[in-house]
Amino acid sequence: MLNLQKRLARMQADLEGLTADVASCSEAQQTVHSSLSCAHSGIAELLEEKAQATSAAQEAKSDVDRAQRDLHTAATEVTRSLSRPAPFLSAAGVAVAGGAGAARLPGGLDGDVPCAVVSTLKGIPEAELHTWLSHHLDGCGFSLAFLFFDDPSELACRSDIVRHWGRRLVPVPVDATLQVEYDACQRLLALKGKLCEDWLARQELHVEIAMRWARGKGCQWLLHIDLDELFVLQEGISAPRHFASVDPARGAVAYLNHEGVPELHDEVVVSELSHNRFAATTLFRRNAQCLAEGFGLDEVVLGDGGVDLTLSVPGSPWQRRLDALASSPSASSSSAAVQTFAFWPRRTKAVLGSAQYFLAYSNGKGAVRLSSDALPNTVHRFGETELGRYWCPKEAVVLHYASGCCDAVAEKLRRLRASSGDWWRSFVLYTRGRDSDEEGLRAIYAGALALDDPDEAARQVDTGVCLRYAVADGHLPKWSLCVMD
């Protein structure tokens, strides 16, 4: 009995201990619950703070990204602004912006000034020579035309033309007697080693000679263009009136050129191409410097790397943009203007292996005030200053009928085989065509130079990438008009 009581007493003591432990655990549990509640509240606050920090970081990143985009856009606009073509010159030295909206401004000097035109020729069809002279002497109003016959034997075959224009035409055979005039040229030293093989070198000297002669005959201005080019003025403005409007402080003026595209979808036109490219060609690619504003081609022409549109060499910004256009799909979301512009680099990439817009030069031609001290500077310019400033092409422009019929193009390319100059090496057409065989030349002509698609021609004109110009019938020789009937 005693043992039982002792055991009960121990059990009672153990129960009391357990009760105390339970109470202690309960208190500890409450403490833990309280701590957990605080921790939970702290974690919730931390999570809220983390969410707020994450949101703030994302907003800050968005602000940084937006700022970087704005900075890039601003930098691009600054680059474009700096690289846009210089404003075109206009009457009495007034500058006008380029693009579709450029128009002739009122002003200019009263009266006209006598002016002359000079060119060097070889192998020019008689109908083309007649049209060239009629356009410039009768149409534009030039007082004199100096023609240097690089092949003197051709002069005898042009006696009718020489008689027709009488004293207004000064024909000059390029023979041994002309050497005396060469010796008096200031440009001779720089060009002497190239005179025999490179006709461009001879052209510069012919221009300098014509400057002396024209000055002696009372002319105040001299324009230099080739026999496959026409100087075209705004309707109602003659060459004497145009040159009278030039700021007296300017000793020379440069003119942009547009490039002719022969069309092959009309048999009559194709036939005329071999006789008179001036009568047959009416479609012209507009110079890219005219497309910088107002045509929806700002991104193409200006891009983000300058506007040296005369430099289509590998790696140049302009060439990179042409390459990108040639590689873009024809069914892309680009505008109609971009798609029609891209037509040209795509086809030259396919045929010539290089994306091009113009196939010949794009830096225009020049005229010089004969009272200035400017000298010929290549066949494109006079003097050394402001070589990139052009006259407004809405007022005066050079149309380059670069390609006649296929045979004429082939003959021009074959002549390059004898050229000691290196000017032609920057033109893909010349480097590829120079050594091509007959079949290759015809493929190049049909695929890269000429156009046999009237619908495409219409699209080009509609978007403004190309323009139409037709020589006045009055400047076409009678023996060519019958071909056009």
Side-chain angles (χ1 to χ4, degrees), residues 89 211 220-223 242-243 246-255 365-377 380-391:
L89 301 172
M211 289 173 64
Q220 296 183 28
W221 280 88
L222 178 71
L223 171 73
H242 164 70
F243 287 115
V246 179
D247 187 334
R250 292 197 171 275
V253 178
Y255 302 95
K365 289 296 178 73
V368 62
R369 190 188 298 273
L370 295 174
S371 60
S372 73
D373 57 1
L375 291 173
N377 181 355
H380 297 277
R381 292 289 188 278
F382 293 89
E384 302 288 343
T385 60
E386 292 194 305
L387 301 182
R389 293 295 300 274
Y390 293 95
W391 199 267

mmCIF file of all heavy atoms in Angstrom, residues 89 211 220-223 242-243 246-255 365-377 380-391:
data_model
loop_
_atom_site.group_PDB
_atom_site.id
_atom_site.type_symbol
_atom_site.label_atom_id
_atom_site.label_comp_id
_atom_site.label_asym_id
_atom_site.label_seq_id
_atom_site.Cartn_x
_atom_site.Cartn_y
_atom_site.Cartn_z
ATOM 1 N N LEU A 89 21.819 76.968 -105.163
ATOM 2 C CA LEU A 89 21.923 78.372 -105.552
ATOM 3 C C LEU A 89 20.785 78.723 -106.490
ATOM 4 O O LEU A 89 20.236 77.862 -107.175
ATOM 5 C CB LEU A 89 23.268 78.637 -106.228
ATOM 6 C CG LEU A 89 24.509 78.332 -105.382
ATOM 7 C CD1 LEU A 89 25.755 78.450 -106.242
ATOM 8 C CD2 LEU A 89 24.583 79.271 -104.192
ATOM 9 N N MET A 211 38.396 78.883 -123.149
ATOM 10 C CA MET A 211 38.240 80.029 -122.246
ATOM 11 C C MET A 211 38.952 81.245 -122.808
ATOM 12 O O MET A 211 38.402 82.363 -122.813
ATOM 13 C CB MET A 211 38.784 79.676 -120.854
ATOM 14 C CG MET A 211 37.942 78.690 -120.073
ATOM 15 S SD MET A 211 38.733 78.158 -118.520
ATOM 16 C CE MET A 211 38.786 79.712 -117.616
ATOM 17 N N GLN A 220 31.225 86.220 -121.667
ATOM 18 C CA GLN A 220 31.453 86.384 -120.233
ATOM 19 C C GLN A 220 31.386 85.063 -119.458
ATOM 20 O O GLN A 220 31.895 84.977 -118.347
ATOM 21 C CB GLN A 220 30.432 87.371 -119.654
ATOM 22 C CG GLN A 220 30.573 88.788 -120.214
ATOM 23 C CD GLN A 220 29.600 89.751 -119.561
ATOM 24 O OE1 GLN A 220 29.188 89.577 -118.410
ATOM 25 N NE2 GLN A 220 29.215 90.794 -120.299
ATOM 26 N N TRP A 221 30.745 84.052 -120.031
ATOM 27 C CA TRP A 221 30.633 82.750 -119.376
ATOM 28 C C TRP A 221 30.926 81.646 -120.388
ATOM 29 O O TRP A 221 30.657 81.783 -121.586
ATOM 30 C CB TRP A 221 29.228 82.539 -118.801
ATOM 31 C CG TRP A 221 29.009 83.229 -117.490
ATOM 32 C CD1 TRP A 221 28.577 84.513 -117.304
ATOM 33 C CD2 TRP A 221 29.209 82.677 -116.191
ATOM 34 N NE1 TRP A 221 28.494 84.797 -115.967
ATOM 35 C CE2 TRP A 221 28.871 83.691 -115.252
ATOM 36 C CE3 TRP A 221 29.633 81.440 -115.710
ATOM 37 C CZ2 TRP A 221 28.947 83.493 -113.871
ATOM 38 C CZ3 TRP A 221 29.700 81.241 -114.343
ATOM 39 C CH2 TRP A 221 29.372 82.254 -113.430
ATOM 40 N N LEU A 222 31.469 80.514 -119.869
ATOM 41 C CA LEU A 222 31.711 79.341 -120.701
ATOM 42 C C LEU A 222 31.221 78.100 -119.958
ATOM 43 O O LEU A 222 31.612 77.850 -118.816
ATOM 44 C CB LEU A 222 33.201 79.181 -121.020
ATOM 45 C CG LEU A 222 33.560 77.936 -121.857
ATOM 46 C CD1 LEU A 222 33.064 78.104 -123.290
ATOM 47 C CD2 LEU A 222 35.064 77.672 -121.843
ATOM 48 N N LEU A 223 30.353 77.342 -120.600
ATOM 49 C CA LEU A 223 29.840 76.080 -120.061
ATOM 50 C C LEU A 223 30.576 74.921 -120.723
ATOM 51 O O LEU A 223 30.776 74.918 -121.933
ATOM 52 C CB LEU A 223 28.343 75.959 -120.337
ATOM 53 C CG LEU A 223 27.694 74.598 -120.031
ATOM 54 C CD1 LEU A 223 27.564 74.401 -118.515
ATOM 55 C CD2 LEU A 223 26.313 74.496 -120.698
ATOM 56 N N HIS A 242 20.112 83.522 -117.830
ATOM 57 C CA HIS A 242 20.484 82.715 -116.654
ATOM 58 C C HIS A 242 21.831 83.167 -116.093
ATOM 59 O O HIS A 242 21.958 83.418 -114.885
ATOM 60 C CB HIS A 242 20.547 81.241 -117.028
ATOM 61 C CG HIS A 242 21.265 80.403 -116.014
ATOM 62 N ND1 HIS A 242 20.746 80.129 -114.756
ATOM 63 C CD2 HIS A 242 22.483 79.788 -116.051
ATOM 64 C CE1 HIS A 242 21.595 79.389 -114.078
ATOM 65 N NE2 HIS A 242 22.656 79.164 -114.834
ATOM 66 N N PHE A 243 22.831 83.288 -116.934
ATOM 67 C CA PHE A 243 24.158 83.654 -116.437
ATOM 68 C C PHE A 243 24.179 85.096 -115.922
ATOM 69 O O PHE A 243 24.980 85.422 -115.042
ATOM 70 C CB PHE A 243 25.208 83.436 -117.520
ATOM 71 C CG PHE A 243 25.506 81.986 -117.762
ATOM 72 C CD1 PHE A 243 25.205 81.381 -118.970
ATOM 73 C CD2 PHE A 243 26.068 81.199 -116.758
ATOM 74 C CE1 PHE A 243 25.467 80.042 -119.192
ATOM 75 C CE2 PHE A 243 26.331 79.856 -116.967
ATOM 76 C CZ PHE A 243 26.026 79.275 -118.183
ATOM 77 N N VAL A 246 23.502 85.177 -112.106
ATOM 78 C CA VAL A 246 24.451 84.617 -111.145
ATOM 79 C C VAL A 246 25.070 85.749 -110.328
ATOM 80 O O VAL A 246 25.447 86.793 -110.870
ATOM 81 C CB VAL A 246 25.558 83.818 -111.871
ATOM 82 C CG1 VAL A 246 26.554 83.259 -110.849
ATOM 83 C CG2 VAL A 246 24.945 82.684 -112.681
ATOM 84 N N ASP A 247 25.176 85.524 -109.044
ATOM 85 C CA ASP A 247 25.793 86.500 -108.140
ATOM 86 C C ASP A 247 27.158 86.920 -108.697
ATOM 87 O O ASP A 247 28.007 86.065 -108.987
ATOM 88 C CB ASP A 247 25.962 85.849 -106.765
ATOM 89 C CG ASP A 247 26.429 86.834 -105.697
ATOM 90 O OD1 ASP A 247 27.079 87.831 -106.053
ATOM 91 O OD2 ASP A 247 26.163 86.578 -104.512
ATOM 92 N N PRO A 248 27.402 88.206 -108.852
ATOM 93 C CA PRO A 248 28.680 88.669 -109.412
ATOM 94 C C PRO A 248 29.894 88.195 -108.639
ATOM 95 O O PRO A 248 31.004 88.156 -109.175
ATOM 96 C CB PRO A 248 28.557 90.195 -109.352
ATOM 97 C CG PRO A 248 27.087 90.460 -109.355
ATOM 98 C CD PRO A 248 26.476 89.324 -108.599
ATOM 99 N N ALA A 249 29.714 87.802 -107.378
ATOM 100 C CA ALA A 249 30.845 87.344 -106.573
ATOM 101 C C ALA A 249 31.259 85.923 -106.922
ATOM 102 O O ALA A 249 32.326 85.469 -106.505
ATOM 103 C CB ALA A 249 30.492 87.415 -105.082
ATOM 104 N N ARG A 250 30.435 85.220 -107.693
ATOM 105 C CA ARG A 250 30.739 83.830 -108.021
ATOM 106 C C ARG A 250 31.508 83.740 -109.332
ATOM 107 O O ARG A 250 31.054 84.230 -110.362
ATOM 108 C CB ARG A 250 29.460 83.003 -108.111
ATOM 109 C CG ARG A 250 28.796 82.841 -106.760
ATOM 110 C CD ARG A 250 27.777 81.720 -106.740
ATOM 111 N NE ARG A 250 27.366 81.502 -105.366
ATOM 112 C CZ ARG A 250 28.006 80.734 -104.512
ATOM 113 N NH1 ARG A 250 29.087 80.079 -104.912
ATOM 114 N NH2 ARG A 250 27.592 80.594 -103.272
ATOM 115 N N GLY A 251 32.644 83.045 -109.274
ATOM 116 C CA GLY A 251 33.448 82.876 -110.473
ATOM 117 C C GLY A 251 33.146 81.607 -111.230
ATOM 118 O O GLY A 251 33.612 81.421 -112.357
ATOM 119 N N ALA A 252 32.359 80.708 -110.636
ATOM 120 C CA ALA A 252 32.015 79.448 -111.293
ATOM 121 C C ALA A 252 30.714 78.925 -110.699
ATOM 122 O O ALA A 252 30.325 79.272 -109.581
ATOM 123 C CB ALA A 252 33.125 78.413 -111.120
ATOM 124 N N VAL A 253 30.026 78.096 -111.465
ATOM 125 C CA VAL A 253 28.762 77.507 -111.047
ATOM 126 C C VAL A 253 28.777 76.027 -111.425
ATOM 127 O O VAL A 253 29.304 75.648 -112.476
ATOM 128 C CB VAL A 253 27.556 78.207 -111.715
ATOM 129 C CG1 VAL A 253 26.249 77.528 -111.303
ATOM 130 C CG2 VAL A 253 27.509 79.668 -111.343
ATOM 131 N N ALA A 254 28.181 75.184 -110.565
ATOM 132 C CA ALA A 254 28.059 73.750 -110.853
ATOM 133 C C ALA A 254 26.593 73.397 -111.027
ATOM 134 O O ALA A 254 25.721 73.971 -110.368
ATOM 135 C CB ALA A 254 28.670 72.917 -109.722
ATOM 136 N N TYR A 255 26.325 72.431 -111.912
ATOM 137 C CA TYR A 255 24.961 72.008 -112.198
ATOM 138 C C TYR A 255 24.850 70.499 -111.995
ATOM 139 O O TYR A 255 25.721 69.738 -112.438
ATOM 140 C CB TYR A 255 24.583 72.358 -113.645
ATOM 141 C CG TYR A 255 24.705 73.833 -113.941
ATOM 142 C CD1 TYR A 255 25.869 74.345 -114.514
ATOM 143 C CD2 TYR A 255 23.670 74.712 -113.632
ATOM 144 C CE1 TYR A 255 25.995 75.705 -114.765
ATOM 145 C CE2 TYR A 255 23.792 76.073 -113.886
ATOM 146 C CZ TYR A 255 24.964 76.567 -114.451
ATOM 147 O OH TYR A 255 25.083 77.903 -114.694
ATOM 148 N N LYS A 365 28.207 69.047 -113.885
ATOM 149 C CA LYS A 365 29.152 69.754 -114.744
ATOM 150 C C LYS A 365 29.176 71.226 -114.342
ATOM 151 O O LYS A 365 28.363 71.678 -113.537
ATOM 152 C CB LYS A 365 28.750 69.601 -116.215
ATOM 153 C CG LYS A 365 28.977 68.204 -116.773
ATOM 154 C CD LYS A 365 30.463 67.839 -116.773
ATOM 155 C CE LYS A 365 30.728 66.433 -117.272
ATOM 156 N NZ LYS A 365 30.552 66.300 -118.718
ATOM 157 N N GLY A 366 30.128 71.980 -114.924
ATOM 158 C CA GLY A 366 30.315 73.344 -114.462
ATOM 159 C C GLY A 366 30.423 74.376 -115.569
ATOM 160 O O GLY A 366 30.632 74.055 -116.742
ATOM 161 N N ALA A 367 30.283 75.637 -115.157
ATOM 162 C CA ALA A 367 30.483 76.786 -116.038
ATOM 163 C C ALA A 367 31.362 77.786 -115.299
ATOM 164 O O ALA A 367 31.372 77.833 -114.063
ATOM 165 C CB ALA A 367 29.147 77.428 -116.413
ATOM 166 N N VAL A 368 32.107 78.597 -116.054
ATOM 167 C CA VAL A 368 33.059 79.518 -115.449
ATOM 168 C C VAL A 368 32.813 80.943 -115.937
ATOM 169 O O VAL A 368 32.502 81.166 -117.118
ATOM 170 C CB VAL A 368 34.512 79.079 -115.757
ATOM 171 C CG1 VAL A 368 34.780 79.107 -117.257
ATOM 172 C CG2 VAL A 368 35.519 79.934 -115.010
ATOM 173 N N ARG A 369 32.943 81.896 -115.026
ATOM 174 C CA ARG A 369 32.913 83.302 -115.408
ATOM 175 C C ARG A 369 34.288 83.643 -115.971
ATOM 176 O O ARG A 369 35.316 83.484 -115.302
ATOM 177 C CB ARG A 369 32.598 84.173 -114.190
ATOM 178 C CG ARG A 369 32.320 85.633 -114.533
ATOM 179 C CD ARG A 369 32.215 86.495 -113.275
ATOM 180 N NE ARG A 369 31.117 86.096 -112.413
ATOM 181 C CZ ARG A 369 29.861 86.534 -112.524
ATOM 182 N NH1 ARG A 369 29.552 87.381 -113.502
ATOM 183 N NH2 ARG A 369 28.928 86.135 -111.679
ATOM 184 N N LEU A 370 34.333 84.134 -117.190
ATOM 185 C CA LEU A 370 35.606 84.303 -117.888
ATOM 186 C C LEU A 370 36.438 85.456 -117.359
ATOM 187 O O LEU A 370 37.627 85.571 -117.671
ATOM 188 C CB LEU A 370 35.348 84.464 -119.382
ATOM 189 C CG LEU A 370 34.740 83.217 -120.045
ATOM 190 C CD1 LEU A 370 34.375 83.491 -121.496
ATOM 191 C CD2 LEU A 370 35.694 82.036 -119.950
ATOM 192 N N SER A 371 35.864 86.295 -116.529
ATOM 193 C CA SER A 371 36.650 87.355 -115.911
ATOM 194 C C SER A 371 37.308 86.885 -114.616
ATOM 195 O O SER A 371 38.091 87.626 -114.007
ATOM 196 C CB SER A 371 35.758 88.566 -115.607
ATOM 197 O OG SER A 371 34.706 88.199 -114.721
ATOM 198 N N SER A 372 37.019 85.661 -114.183
ATOM 199 C CA SER A 372 37.616 85.124 -112.961
ATOM 200 C C SER A 372 38.950 84.465 -113.294
ATOM 201 O O SER A 372 39.319 84.314 -114.462
ATOM 202 C CB SER A 372 36.683 84.096 -112.318
ATOM 203 O OG SER A 372 36.676 82.886 -113.071
ATOM 204 N N ASP A 373 39.667 84.041 -112.250
ATOM 205 C CA ASP A 373 40.941 83.357 -112.469
ATOM 206 C C ASP A 373 40.798 81.846 -112.312
ATOM 207 O O ASP A 373 41.795 81.133 -112.198
ATOM 208 C CB ASP A 373 42.010 83.891 -111.505
ATOM 209 C CG ASP A 373 41.593 83.742 -110.045
ATOM 210 O OD1 ASP A 373 40.490 83.217 -109.778
ATOM 211 O OD2 ASP A 373 42.393 84.143 -109.165
ATOM 212 N N ALA A 374 39.559 81.342 -112.303
ATOM 213 C CA ALA A 374 39.322 79.903 -112.139
ATOM 214 C C ALA A 374 39.780 79.141 -113.371
ATOM 215 O O ALA A 374 39.623 79.602 -114.511
ATOM 216 C CB ALA A 374 37.842 79.636 -111.879
ATOM 217 N N LEU A 375 40.349 77.975 -113.143
ATOM 218 C CA LEU A 375 40.796 77.079 -114.215
ATOM 219 C C LEU A 375 39.985 75.791 -114.162
ATOM 220 O O LEU A 375 39.357 75.478 -113.146
ATOM 221 C CB LEU A 375 42.279 76.758 -114.053
ATOM 222 C CG LEU A 375 43.266 77.894 -114.303
ATOM 223 C CD1 LEU A 375 44.681 77.460 -113.927
ATOM 224 C CD2 LEU A 375 43.207 78.339 -115.764
ATOM 225 N N PRO A 376 39.999 75.004 -115.246
ATOM 226 C CA PRO A 376 39.319 73.708 -115.194
ATOM 227 C C PRO A 376 39.876 72.852 -114.052
ATOM 228 O O PRO A 376 41.090 72.800 -113.835
ATOM 229 C CB PRO A 376 39.635 73.090 -116.557
ATOM 230 C CG PRO A 376 39.937 74.250 -117.442
ATOM 231 C CD PRO A 376 40.593 75.271 -116.569
ATOM 232 N N ASN A 377 38.990 72.209 -113.328
ATOM 233 C CA ASN A 377 39.357 71.324 -112.224
ATOM 234 C C ASN A 377 38.663 70.001 -112.484
ATOM 235 O O ASN A 377 37.524 69.795 -112.074
ATOM 236 C CB ASN A 377 38.918 71.930 -110.892
ATOM 237 C CG ASN A 377 39.298 71.077 -109.702
ATOM 238 O OD1 ASN A 377 39.824 69.977 -109.855
ATOM 239 N ND2 ASN A 377 39.033 71.560 -108.502
ATOM 240 N N HIS A 380 34.629 68.299 -114.586
ATOM 241 C CA HIS A 380 33.357 68.585 -113.941
ATOM 242 C C HIS A 380 33.270 69.972 -113.314
ATOM 243 O O HIS A 380 32.172 70.446 -113.049
ATOM 244 C CB HIS A 380 33.076 67.543 -112.845
ATOM 245 C CG HIS A 380 32.927 66.158 -113.366
ATOM 246 N ND1 HIS A 380 31.750 65.683 -113.879
ATOM 247 C CD2 HIS A 380 33.828 65.134 -113.456
ATOM 248 C CE1 HIS A 380 31.911 64.419 -114.260
ATOM 249 N NE2 HIS A 380 33.156 64.079 -114.018
ATOM 250 N N ARG A 381 34.384 70.613 -113.031
ATOM 251 C CA ARG A 381 34.360 71.831 -112.241
ATOM 252 C C ARG A 381 35.372 72.863 -112.750
ATOM 253 O O ARG A 381 36.263 72.555 -113.541
ATOM 254 C CB ARG A 381 34.709 71.533 -110.772
ATOM 255 C CG ARG A 381 33.678 70.720 -110.026
ATOM 256 C CD ARG A 381 32.414 71.539 -109.762
ATOM 257 N NE ARG A 381 31.531 70.780 -108.894
ATOM 258 C CZ ARG A 381 30.705 69.833 -109.329
ATOM 259 N NH1 ARG A 381 30.649 69.532 -110.618
ATOM 260 N NH2 ARG A 381 29.928 69.181 -108.483
ATOM 261 N N PHE A 382 35.215 74.060 -112.203
ATOM 262 C CA PHE A 382 36.187 75.129 -112.381
ATOM 263 C C PHE A 382 36.536 75.662 -110.997
ATOM 264 O O PHE A 382 35.680 75.774 -110.120
ATOM 265 C CB PHE A 382 35.611 76.261 -113.237
ATOM 266 C CG PHE A 382 35.351 75.888 -114.659
ATOM 267 C CD1 PHE A 382 34.132 75.354 -115.038
ATOM 268 C CD2 PHE A 382 36.334 76.067 -115.624
ATOM 269 C CE1 PHE A 382 33.880 75.013 -116.357
ATOM 270 C CE2 PHE A 382 36.101 75.729 -116.953
ATOM 271 C CZ PHE A 382 34.871 75.193 -117.322
ATOM 272 N N GLY A 383 37.789 76.014 -110.793
ATOM 273 C CA GLY A 383 38.198 76.596 -109.531
ATOM 274 C C GLY A 383 38.341 75.576 -108.421
ATOM 275 O O GLY A 383 38.286 74.364 -108.641
ATOM 276 N N GLU A 384 38.534 76.096 -107.202
ATOM 277 C CA GLU A 384 38.831 75.236 -106.056
ATOM 278 C C GLU A 384 37.846 75.394 -104.901
ATOM 279 O O GLU A 384 37.952 74.685 -103.910
ATOM 280 C CB GLU A 384 40.250 75.572 -105.530
ATOM 281 C CG GLU A 384 41.359 75.411 -106.555
ATOM 282 C CD GLU A 384 41.648 73.963 -106.870
ATOM 283 O OE1 GLU A 384 41.233 73.088 -106.080
ATOM 284 O OE2 GLU A 384 42.286 73.699 -107.904
ATOM 285 N N THR A 385 36.899 76.310 -104.995
ATOM 286 C CA THR A 385 36.043 76.599 -103.843
ATOM 287 C C THR A 385 34.599 76.178 -104.093
ATOM 288 O O THR A 385 34.114 76.196 -105.237
ATOM 289 C CB THR A 385 36.065 78.101 -103.508
ATOM 290 O OG1 THR A 385 35.583 78.843 -104.637
ATOM 291 C CG2 THR A 385 37.477 78.545 -103.180
ATOM 292 N N GLU A 386 33.916 75.813 -103.004
ATOM 293 C CA GLU A 386 32.496 75.446 -103.014
ATOM 294 C C GLU A 386 32.153 74.489 -104.154
ATOM 295 O O GLU A 386 31.181 74.676 -104.887
ATOM 296 C CB GLU A 386 31.622 76.697 -103.105
ATOM 297 C CG GLU A 386 31.679 77.549 -101.843
ATOM 298 C CD GLU A 386 30.575 78.587 -101.804
ATOM 299 O OE1 GLU A 386 30.477 79.375 -102.765
ATOM 300 O OE2 GLU A 386 29.826 78.588 -100.829
ATOM 301 N N LEU A 387 32.951 73.434 -104.265
ATOM 302 C CA LEU A 387 32.757 72.485 -105.361
ATOM 303 C C LEU A 387 31.470 71.680 -105.195
ATOM 304 O O LEU A 387 30.998 71.059 -106.143
ATOM 305 C CB LEU A 387 33.963 71.551 -105.458
ATOM 306 C CG LEU A 387 35.310 72.250 -105.700
ATOM 307 C CD1 LEU A 387 36.421 71.220 -105.822
ATOM 308 C CD2 LEU A 387 35.258 73.123 -106.946
ATOM 309 N N GLY A 388 30.918 71.648 -103.971
ATOM 310 C CA GLY A 388 29.696 70.895 -103.731
ATOM 311 C C GLY A 388 28.426 71.725 -103.775
ATOM 312 O O GLY A 388 27.347 71.217 -103.482
ATOM 313 N N ARG A 389 28.524 72.994 -104.153
ATOM 314 C CA ARG A 389 27.336 73.850 -104.259
ATOM 315 C C ARG A 389 26.799 73.801 -105.682
ATOM 316 O O ARG A 389 27.522 74.054 -106.649
ATOM 317 C CB ARG A 389 27.678 75.299 -103.897
ATOM 318 C CG ARG A 389 28.061 75.530 -102.448
ATOM 319 C CD ARG A 389 26.929 75.260 -101.492
ATOM 320 N NE ARG A 389 25.758 76.084 -101.713
ATOM 321 C CZ ARG A 389 25.597 77.303 -101.203
ATOM 322 N NH1 ARG A 389 26.564 77.857 -100.471
ATOM 323 N NH2 ARG A 389 24.493 77.982 -101.423
ATOM 324 N N TYR A 390 25.525 73.470 -105.802
ATOM 325 C CA TYR A 390 24.915 73.333 -107.126
ATOM 326 C C TYR A 390 23.815 74.376 -107.327
ATOM 327 O O TYR A 390 23.178 74.823 -106.383
ATOM 328 C CB TYR A 390 24.294 71.937 -107.284
ATOM 329 C CG TYR A 390 25.304 70.814 -107.308
ATOM 330 C CD1 TYR A 390 25.616 70.127 -106.152
ATOM 331 C CD2 TYR A 390 25.947 70.452 -108.490
ATOM 332 C CE1 TYR A 390 26.538 69.082 -106.163
ATOM 333 C CE2 TYR A 390 26.867 69.419 -108.517
ATOM 334 C CZ TYR A 390 27.164 68.744 -107.348
ATOM 335 O OH TYR A 390 28.071 67.727 -107.360
ATOM 336 N N TRP A 391 23.606 74.699 -108.593
ATOM 337 C CA TRP A 391 22.490 75.553 -108.937
ATOM 338 C C TRP A 391 21.197 74.758 -108.789
ATOM 339 O O TRP A 391 21.176 73.543 -108.971
ATOM 340 C CB TRP A 391 22.629 76.056 -110.376
ATOM 341 C CG TRP A 391 21.786 77.259 -110.652
ATOM 342 C CD1 TRP A 391 20.524 77.280 -111.169
ATOM 343 C CD2 TRP A 391 22.138 78.619 -110.419
ATOM 344 N NE1 TRP A 391 20.067 78.569 -111.265
ATOM 345 C CE2 TRP A 391 21.037 79.411 -110.810
ATOM 346 C CE3 TRP A 391 23.279 79.252 -109.917
ATOM 347 C CZ2 TRP A 391 21.036 80.799 -110.713
ATOM 348 C CZ3 TRP A 391 23.279 80.632 -109.817
ATOM 349 C CH2 TRP A 391 22.174 81.397 -110.215
#
